[in-house]
Amino acid sequence: MTTTFTMPDFALAAPEIYMLIMACVVLVADLFISDKNRIVTYALTQLTLLGAVLITIMGAPAVTSFTFSGLYVSDDLSMILKTVIYVVTGFVFLYSRDYLRDRDIFKGEYYVLGLFGVLGMMVMVSAHSFLTVYLGLELLSLSLYAMVAFRRDSLSASEAAMKYFILGALASGMLLYGMSMIYGATGTLDIAGLSDPIMARGTDDIVLIFGLVFIVVGLAFKLGAVPFHMWIPDVYQGAPTSVTMYIGSAPKIAGFALVMRVLAEGLGDLHSDWQGMLVILAVLSLAVGNIIALAQTNLKRMLAYSTISHVGFLLLGILAGTKAGYAASMFYIITYAITAVGGFAMVILLSRRGFEAENLDDLKGLNERSPWLAFMMLLLMFSMAGVPPTVGFYAKLIVLKSVIDIQMVWLALTAVAFSVIGAFYYLRVVKLMYFDAPVENPEPIRIGADTNIAFSVNALSVLMLGLLPGGLLALCTATLS
């Protein structure tokens, strides 16, 4: 694509400016809204996301455009990923509404922090300088730290937030240190301007390699790749389920964008170096995520280790270093975010006032209580396991193909082996829903009509994208070509 600098700064950054203004509007307006009318804050938040979708799509430039002296980029990749982030976050807010109300934490702060987190993701997606990369990442991270501790009377949430904050600060320091080393070696923070200095110094320069190691460590932590995954199980379990759903879905898309901007675009000349690092991270993530998930009885911890294993698959496409591999990873992370938000939504739908559905046993006999919800959950679990005809199967298939295309057949076989192991704990969920009797006599599942429709659309989209994956894959391929 050709490059232009003709559009004014505010036009290219219109989605971010709009999101910042609306987040502040929601923050101030919520001060004048009583607890019984808190639904107004929720509605305003959803309208904010809808407006962001329209502004992002309608204001997207026809060509790749840079602004703010090259610190910021607006291209097809940013437009698509931002749109998916808005949609996924909208589902998160919808599913969370009744959950928060039942626990008397239906407060505006949850939605304000969520919007600022979305703003951080948007900056990460469009960042084209180490400076904007770090600003977006920290805005998202600070929002997540506060959201994890949102339920102030919960000791587990406070503990999870403290662990997340300490480990997150350590990882941010490593990432920042790596960026400073790259800057010291190249003399630029601009991602597009890294190539020439790197080639001038040589790809075996020790300062560049050390900087790259620290950057990969920081990125691996943000994604949750092994061995930098320690925070994920504890944070997923300790945080309110509505927050866990937020953390486990949309930020993964921003994490993919971060890796693409920093490694693929900025440090692509060092591909031979970071490819080996990602191979190690991918294999460890697939192994640890799938094997440890087998032993989990807590549903949120099981989904946490499932997330780690999926990060391993995501890294497979990126380490391929080809356009097909990048497109496969983009397809994978978009479909995974859609599937993950549905999986965590099921945990929320099973919960009720005074009861948290966090154990696998809480799924027993779900087919007797609600055949439709059980079938939707079956589709989601099949997709995570990679069972055809759901989209998870096709997503895994194209990622494996990209690895095979670069003659790393052993890595593809390793991924398949661990996927077969991982299928057990997904199919165990299906077995509990359809073949086990309910524990005691649980109450019927009552959910709102809008939530029921949204969850059905969410789960059925997994099947639809599996049957008709061509459109989304072509879009991903065209975006990264």
Side-chain angles (χ1 to χ4, degrees):
M1 301 177 71
T2 58
T3 302
T4 180
F5 293 86
T6 57
M7 293 189 69
D9 292 351
F10 69 87
L12 288 177
E16 287 74 17
I17 295 172
Y18 165 79
M19 184 61 68
L20 175 60
I21 293 173
M22 289 306 299
C24 293
V25 168
V26 173
L27 175 63
V28 175
D30 186 69
L31 295 173
F32 302 95
I33 298 174
S34 63
D35 286 343
K36 66 178 181 180
N37 294 322
R38 198 67 66 189
I39 193 69
V40 176
T41 303
Y42 163 78
L44 189 58
T45 302
Q46 293 287 35
L47 288 174
T48 298
L49 293 173
L50 178 60
V53 171
L54 297 176
I55 292 174
T56 301
I57 294 177
M58 296 176 63
V63 294
T64 299
S65 303
F66 298 90
T67 188
F68 300 122
S69 301
L71 297 176
Y72 212 73
V73 62
S74 181
D75 56 7
D76 292 341
L77 177 66
S78 63
M79 187 268 289
I80 293 170
L81 294 185
K82 286 177 189 177
T83 303
V84 177
I85 287 172
Y86 305 145
V87 173
V88 171
T89 305
F91 276 103
V92 170
F93 288 161
L94 173 59
Y95 296 143
S96 301
R97 183 191 59 204
D98 294 333
Y99 176 90
L100 297 173
R101 183 185 287 122
D102 288 344
R103 283 146 191 81
D104 299 321
I105 52 174
F106 189 44
K107 308 293 184 182
E109 289 87 345
Y110 173 82
Y111 294 104
V112 172
L113 288 169
L115 289 179
F116 275 112
V118 170
L119 177 59
M121 294 182 233
M122 295 165 69
V123 175
M124 290 168 62
V125 168
S126 285
H128 213 256
S129 165
F130 284 150
L131 181 62
T132 40
V133 162
Y134 193 73
L135 288 175
L137 182 59
E138 286 308 293
L139 178 56
L140 171 62
S141 297
L142 291 172
S143 300
L144 294 182
Y145 301 152
M147 291 181 77
V148 172
F150 182 67
R151 195 169 185 177
R152 291 176 293 178
D153 59 346
S154 171
L155 291 178
S156 60
S158 299
E159 179 185 354
M162 186 59 69
K163 289 179 180 177
Y164 191 15
F165 174 73
I166 293 173
L167 292 173
L170 180 63
S172 294
M174 289 188 174
L175 182 63
L176 194 60
Y177 187 59
M179 290 177 177
S180 67
M181 295 185 74
I182 297 294
Y183 172 70
T186 62
T188 180
L189 292 172
D190 183 27
I191 288 177
L194 291 173
S195 181
D196 290 341
I198 288 176
M199 296 307 296
R201 291 182 67 99
T203 56
D204 58 348
D205 184 83
I206 191 66
V207 178
L208 289 174
I209 302 304
F210 265 100
L212 177 63
V213 169
F214 280 104
I215 285 178
V216 170
V217 168
L219 295 176
F221 176 89
K222 298 303 179 182
L223 286 172
V226 177
F228 311 103
H229 67 292
M230 301 80 70
W231 62 276
I232 287 189
D234 290 339
V235 170
Y236 276 36
Q237 182 179 5
T241 306
S242 57
V243 176
T244 303
M245 176 169 51
Y246 182 92
I247 297 174
S249 53
K252 303 304 178 187
I253 300 173
F256 163 76
L258 190 64
V259 173
M260 286 297 299
R261 297 296 189 198
V262 175
L263 293 185
E265 294 184 22
L267 301 174
D269 294 315
L270 299 175
H271 172 257
S272 59
D273 296 299
W274 57 255
Q275 182 187 54
M277 301 179 199
L278 295 193
V279 167
I280 297 172
L281 293 173
V283 172
L284 289 177
S285 299
L286 288 166
V288 172
N290 284 311
I291 293 175
I292 298 185
L294 297 174
Q296 303 304 311
T297 57
N298 183 281
L299 184 55
K300 287 163 72 174
R301 287 187 76 88
M302 188 201 81
L303 291 174
Y305 283 105
S306 164
T307 298
I308 295 169
S309 70
H310 285 288
V311 168
F313 254 100
L314 171 68
L315 294 177
L316 291 180
I318 296 173
L319 67 85
T322 62
K323 297 295 184 182
Y326 296 149
S329 285
M330 182 177 174
F331 181 92
Y332 193 96
I333 199 61
I334 290 174
T335 55
Y336 170 73
I338 296 171
T339 308
V341 75
F344 284 110
M346 190 71 248
V347 181
I348 283 182
L349 298 182
L350 288 172
S351 302
R352 56 186 181 275
R353 182 179 292 273
F355 173 72
E356 293 286 344
E358 293 190 352
N359 296 314
L360 287 173
D361 287 346
D362 297 323
L363 288 164
K364 286 184 175 180
L366 179 60
N367 185 53
E368 296 181 21
R369 300 170 61 191
S370 176
W372 180 249
L373 291 182
F375 177 64
M376 296 297 100
M377 186 61 170
L378 177 144
L379 291 177
L380 294 167
M381 290 297 100
F382 274 10
S383 182
M384 287 191 177
V387 176
T390 57
V391 71
F393 169 77
Y394 191 78
K396 284 181 168 63
L397 182 65
I398 58 175
V399 167
L400 293 173
K401 182 180 182 300
S402 69
V403 175
I404 293 173
D405 288 343
I406 60 168
Q407 310 304 316
M408 299 185 78
V409 178
W410 69 270
L411 187 56
L413 292 176
T414 302
V416 170
F418 285 121
S419 293
V420 172
I421 295 173
F424 172 81
Y425 57 86
Y426 295 119
L427 297 180
R428 179 174 59 186
V429 170
V430 177
K431 179 256 185 186
L432 292 173
M433 293 191 300
Y434 282 90
F435 299 104
D436 285 23
V439 177
E440 299 176 351
N441 292 308
E443 299 177 5
I445 299 175
R446 298 186 179 91
I447 58 176
D450 55 348
T451 304
N452 195 3
I453 292 172
F455 184 65
S456 300
V457 170
N458 191 173
L460 290 174
S461 65
V462 169
L463 179 61
M464 184 192 71
L465 288 172
L467 294 172
L468 302 169
L472 179 58
L473 180 59
L475 185 64
C476 294
T477 303
T479 300
L480 295 169
S481 62

